[in-house]
Every structure is written in C-alpha cells, then in structure tokens.
C-alpha cells in the first residue's frame, strides 16, 4: 500500500521501469533532493534515505503524514467535492491569516486541492498562491486512508530524513556508495512549454548549469547519481561527459490536447 499520496507534475510513475533498470545494483543511503510526488522513492522504499524538496507545502504534507496520520484523515473527511467549497479552500492562501493555519489543516488542504483540481496540477502564481481551477471529477479519492497509513508507517523509519532546504545542502553529506536520484524542474523543450509553477521563482538555464556543477561535485566525490531531464540540446551539452540514455515519456500537461503525447527524455548517470 506504500505509494505516492499526491499526483505531481513530472511524476515518474510511467518511467519507473526505465529508472529501476538503470539504478545501481546496491547502495548505502538514498538521496532524492527534488522528491515531488515520490514515485521512485516509494517504489524503492530504501531503508536509509534523505528526501528533500523546495516546496514547503509539499514537505509539510509528508511530515504530517509521518507524525499525525489519524488527524490528517479526520480533517480530509470534512472536505466536499463542490465547486464553491473548492474555491473557498483554494483561496485560503490569499488571506493574511493563512500562515496561522495548522500544519494538519495545510496538509489536508493541499491533498484535497490536488485530488479535486484540474488534472491534479499543483501550480502557484508569482505570489505563491494556488491557482489551478476546479476539476469537476465525480468521485475524487482525497481520503486515501490505507495509503496514508502505510506511508506514515514507512516514513517513521528512524533512518529516513525529510528536509525542506536547498538541494545542494541536502546532498552535502552524500558519500561514496550512496545513490542520488535527481528529478529537477525540466529544461523547457520550447519557449511555450516552460512549466515551473509548483515553486515560486521557477528555474532557468543558470539553475540547470548550477545543478550540473553539483553533479560534477557528486561525481568527484564518488557518489552515484541518476538524473532525469528533457531531451534538449542544452541539457545534452551540459552532461556530454556522462552516460545519456533516451526514454519515451508521455506529455500530459498541455492546454492543447493535440500536443500531448510521447516525447523524448534523458536519463543521465555517472556510472556503468
């Protein structure tokens, strides 16, 4: 029953087979500094891991699931799959007292919005406010009690750490025999394809260069890494010194349905 609780943009469920086929056969500690929905993490279920994300609301969900699963489930049961109610809950982060909302209420709100908003698309505007519209689904499953309880038990493993810090800092203690899986915001395949709305500020080419430099540092320290990114000439050039494997992925986020479909992505690693 251990599985992702949230649907997340760029989630890796569809690429799990390719990722698992390329992971090291053995490793000591597992690091995932851009954990997102955690598809790879929850599939591998490593005994020793450090997961991290820049999205504080997302990390709050994982910590609440770990520490207060029953209270979270109870609060989720209070939500309604109604359009007016949805927009009232969505609008809470526009209010000045939103920071006073309890961790449990914030986690419950995010799970509810994630399961009832259009396409399960977590997106914020430049002010950091959730802005995805209502999805109009008949029976969204925002009270997934068995999965929440199973994930809670797993996250209570003493050797699993949950962080909300800069990704480079989260990787500072990775050493030889550790394995790092990196799933950063993707480099856009076109000027109109850029989507970094799940964290304020977004990512540009300078961020991709910084990440490559961090990967170079991991490589020099003997840390094995596997990185996902879009199959663009820019990314291919950045990682020309590493093993680049091309895989097919399905593009699900596009306002034009005709532009959804299979695209190439890169899986990049520093080991054989």
């Amino acid at each position: 029953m251990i599985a992702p609780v949230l649907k997340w943009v760029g989630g890796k469920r569809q690429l799990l087979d390719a990722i698992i086929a390329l992971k090291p056969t053995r490793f000591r500690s597992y690091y995932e500094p851009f954990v997102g929905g955690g598809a790879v993490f929850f599939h591998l279920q490593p005994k020793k891991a450090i997961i991290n994300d820049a999205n504080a609301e997302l990390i709050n969900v994982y910590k609440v699931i770990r520490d207060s699963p029953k209270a979270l489930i109870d609060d989720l049961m209070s939500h309604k799959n109604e359009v007016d109610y949805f927009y009232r809950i969505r609008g809470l982060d526009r209010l000045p007292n939103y920071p006073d909302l309890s961790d449990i209420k914030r986690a419950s709100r995010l799970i509810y919005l994630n399961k009832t908003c259009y396409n399960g698309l977590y997106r914020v505007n430049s002010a950091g406010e959730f802005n995805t519209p209502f999805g109009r689904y008949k029976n969204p499953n925002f009270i997934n009690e068995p999965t929440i309880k199973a994930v809670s038990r797993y996250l209570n493993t003493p050797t699993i750490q949950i962080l909300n810090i800069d990704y480079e800092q989260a990787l500072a203690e990775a050493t030889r025999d550790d394995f790092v899986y990196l799933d950063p915001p993707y480099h856009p395949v076109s000027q109109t394809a850029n989507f970094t709305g799940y964290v304020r500020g977004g990512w540009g080419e300078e961020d991709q260069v910084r990440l490559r430099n961090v990967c170079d540092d991991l490589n020099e320290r003997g840390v094995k890494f596997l990185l996902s990114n879009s199959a663009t000439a820019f990314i291919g050039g950045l990682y020309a010194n590493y093993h680049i494997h091309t895989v097919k992925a399905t593009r699900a986020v596009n306002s034009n349905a005709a532009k959804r479909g299979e695209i190439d992505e890169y899986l990049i690693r520093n080991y054989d």
Side-chain angles (χ1 to χ4, degrees):
M1 295 304 299
I2 299 174
V5 177
L6 298 168
K7 182 180 179 182
W8 212 248
V9 172
K12 290 298 175 288
R13 293 192 201 199
Q14 60 174 305
L15 292 181
L16 274 177
D17 289 344
I19 291 169
I20 299 308
L22 292 176
K23 74 173 181 63
T25 54
R26 63 182 67 178
F27 52 87
R28 186 176 57 182
S29 295
Y30 176 81
Y31 287 76
E32 191 167 347
F34 306 94
V35 71
V40 176
F41 170 63
F42 290 124
H43 181 84
L44 290 176
Q45 295 173 37
K47 294 180 179 179
K48 187 175 183 180
I50 292 177
I51 61 171
N52 176 75
D53 204 277
N55 190 311
E57 294 291 325
L58 171 66
I59 291 301
N60 177 65
V61 168
Y62 289 136
K63 289 182 176 179
V64 167
I65 289 174
R66 180 192 64 191
D67 300 334
S68 307
K70 184 180 184 305
L72 174 61
I73 292 165
D74 289 345
D75 199 86
L76 284 168
M77 289 180 177
S78 69
H79 292 303
K80 306 171 187 175
N81 185 35
E82 299 172 358
V83 61
D84 290 342
Y85 178 84
F86 171 89
Y87 284 110
R88 180 163 66 83
I89 297 300
R90 194 189 77 163
L92 289 177
D93 60 7
R94 276 82 167 165
L95 303 177
N97 63 344
Y98 179 70
D100 298 330
L101 214 62
S102 71
D103 290 345
I104 291 168
K105 289 285 186 183
R106 283 170 44 221
S108 174
R109 172 182 176 270
L110 192 150
I111 293 173
Y112 165 74
L113 292 176
N114 181 261
K115 298 298 184 180
T116 56
C117 73
Y118 178 73
N119 206 30
L121 176 61
Y122 183 94
R123 184 185 65 198
V124 297
N125 59 23
S126 59
E129 300 164 343
F130 193 98
N131 66 353
T132 312
F134 186 54
R136 301 188 182 278
Y137 303 116
K138 288 186 177 180
N139 295 297
N141 184 18
F142 51 82
I143 312 170
N144 195 339
E145 184 172 350
T147 296
I148 288 173
K149 288 181 176 179
V151 170
S152 178
R153 287 192 294 270
Y154 174 58
L155 292 181
N156 271 282
T157 304
T159 48
I160 293 177
Q161 297 182 56
I162 304 173
L163 306 176
N164 174 221
I165 57 179
D166 179 77
Y167 72 89
E168 186 173 2
Q169 185 181 353
L171 296 172
E173 296 184 7
T175 60
R176 189 178 299 274
D177 298 328
D178 291 340
F179 172 48
V180 176
Y181 173 60
L182 302 128
D183 185 25
Y186 275 23
H187 182 249
V189 295
S190 69
Q191 289 300 313
T192 58
N194 198 9
F195 180 86
T196 53
Y198 47 79
V199 61
R200 291 181 67 180
W203 264 51
E205 289 190 352
E206 68 280 3
D207 298 294
Q208 299 289 355
V209 171
R210 180 191 171 209
L211 176 58
R212 192 280 316 275
N213 293 339
V214 170
C215 288
D216 287 345
D217 180 62
L218 291 172
N219 187 58
E220 291 175 5
R221 286 152 50 190
V223 180
K224 293 182 176 66
F225 74 80
L226 176 64
L227 173 128
S228 304
N229 214 317
S230 52
T232 65
F234 177 74
I235 296 298
L238 283 182
Y239 293 94
N241 294 329
Y242 297 106
H243 301 289
I244 301 179
H245 182 69
T246 303
V247 294
K248 293 288 185 182
T250 301
R251 183 203 303 271
V253 179
N254 196 303
S255 57
N256 184 347
K259 293 183 179 179
R260 299 173 192 163
E262 281 196 337
I263 59 169
D264 288 340
E265 292 190 6
Y266 284 152
L267 292 175
I268 301 165
R269 68 193 193 280
N270 67 332
Y271 52 89
D272 295 325

